[in-house]
């Protein structure tokens, strides 16, 4: 079956994240991506997770504890713009995962913003190890969503192909602002 952009993001994470990696979940929400990342990095790896909403941090923490994976994850209730500063100065990462938009079941007025999303991406790109990926599942059907989408697309269009490969994965016949995926792989 053809995978949804979200399911395909997990397929890519399974391919690129190695046991022992340090990785970033830039938008933890309810923690579905965080949980997968915690499994993939294994007991010797580390996940740094970010969300500005307390209920996202609480919901993710509960999921991790229930799965017995909380010991390999550090959650920050702060903007993902701080992610690079939270990594050690020379720490590389195997992946950074972003789900843009609002928290499902939460306040639809609290959404990721193009300017901070790009600041985070720009600070994390130099940290990707070869083969590592920054992955975006782009939801843009809300207020401000098209602006964030356009900022991200014009930024990735400018990345030098000698340094990064950029993939776009989208459904041609899905209607109503369907989510799509952007994956940036360090060569
Ligand atoms: C689409 S949801 C993420 C869904 C999540 N990956 C999951 O598995 O449930 C987007 C999340 O980004 C968060 N967010 C918005 N701005 C943010 C920022 N500057 N830094 C970190 N998280 C942010 C929102 O609070 C929301 O929980």
């Amino acid at each position: 079956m053809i995978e949804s952009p979200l399911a395909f993001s997990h397929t890519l994470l399974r391919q690129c994240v190695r046991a022992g990696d340090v990785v970033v979940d830039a938008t933890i929400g309810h923690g579905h991506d965080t949980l997968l990342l915690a499994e993939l990095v294994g007991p010797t790896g580390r996940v740094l997770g970010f969300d500005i909403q307390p209920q996202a941090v609480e919901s993710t923490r509960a999921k991790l504890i229930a799965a017995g994976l909380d010991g390999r994850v550090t959650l920050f209730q702060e903007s993902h713009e701080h992610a690079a500063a939270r990594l050690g100065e020379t720490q590389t990462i195997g992946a950074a995962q972003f789900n843009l938009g609002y928290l499902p079941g939460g306040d639809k007025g609290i959404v990721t913003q193009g300017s901070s999303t790009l600041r985070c991406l720009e600070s994390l790109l130099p940290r990707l190890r070869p083969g590592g990926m920054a992955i975006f599942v782009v939801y843009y059907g809300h207020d401000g969503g098209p602006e964030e989408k356009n900022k991200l697309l014009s930024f990735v269009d400018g990345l030098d192909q000698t340094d990064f490969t950029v993939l776009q994965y989208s459904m041609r016949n899905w209607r109503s602002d369907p989510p799509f995926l952007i994956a940036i792989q360090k060569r």
Side-chain angles (χ1 to χ4, degrees), residues 26-30 32-33 51-53 79-80 99 101-103 112:
T27 52
I28 59 178
H30 292 301
H32 303 105
D33 302 333
D51 205 294
I52 51 175
Q53 297 196 66
S79 173
H80 42 225
N99 267 211
Y102 55 81
L103 181 65
T112 52

Side-chain angles (χ1 to χ4, degrees), residues 62-137:
K63 262 198 192 66
L64 292 166
I65 290 171
L69 294 172
D70 51 306
R72 45 183 98 159
V73 180
T74 311
L75 299 176
F76 299 94
Q77 193 202 316
E78 63 184 23
S79 173
H80 42 225
E81 291 158 275
H82 303 288
R86 293 288 188 181
L87 293 164
E89 231 168 73
T90 57
Q91 180 66 57
T92 58
I93 58 173
Q97 171 84 348
F98 298 73
N99 267 211
L100 304 184
Y102 55 81
L103 181 65
D107 182 344
K108 293 187 177 171
I110 303 177
V111 293
T112 52
Q113 304 287 332
S115 48
S116 42
T117 298
L118 273 195
R119 276 198 292 277
C120 177
L121 174 61
E122 287 183 270
S123 69
L124 291 180
L125 278 183
R127 304 300 195 100
L128 282 178
R129 61 159 166 72
M133 287 191 205
I135 300 175
F136 291 81
V137 180

Side-chain angles (χ1 to χ4, degrees), residues 5 8-9 12 15 133-136 138 152-153 156-157 159 164-170 180-185:
F8 188 53
S9 77
L12 292 175
Q15 287 174 16
M133 287 191 205
I135 300 175
F136 291 81
V138 184
L152 176 66
L153 290 178
V156 300
D157 285 351
L159 288 174
F164 297 100
T165 299
V166 180
L167 167 77
Q168 178 167 344
Y169 175 90
S170 58
F180 65 95
L181 174 142
I182 293 288
I184 305 165
Q185 185 166 44

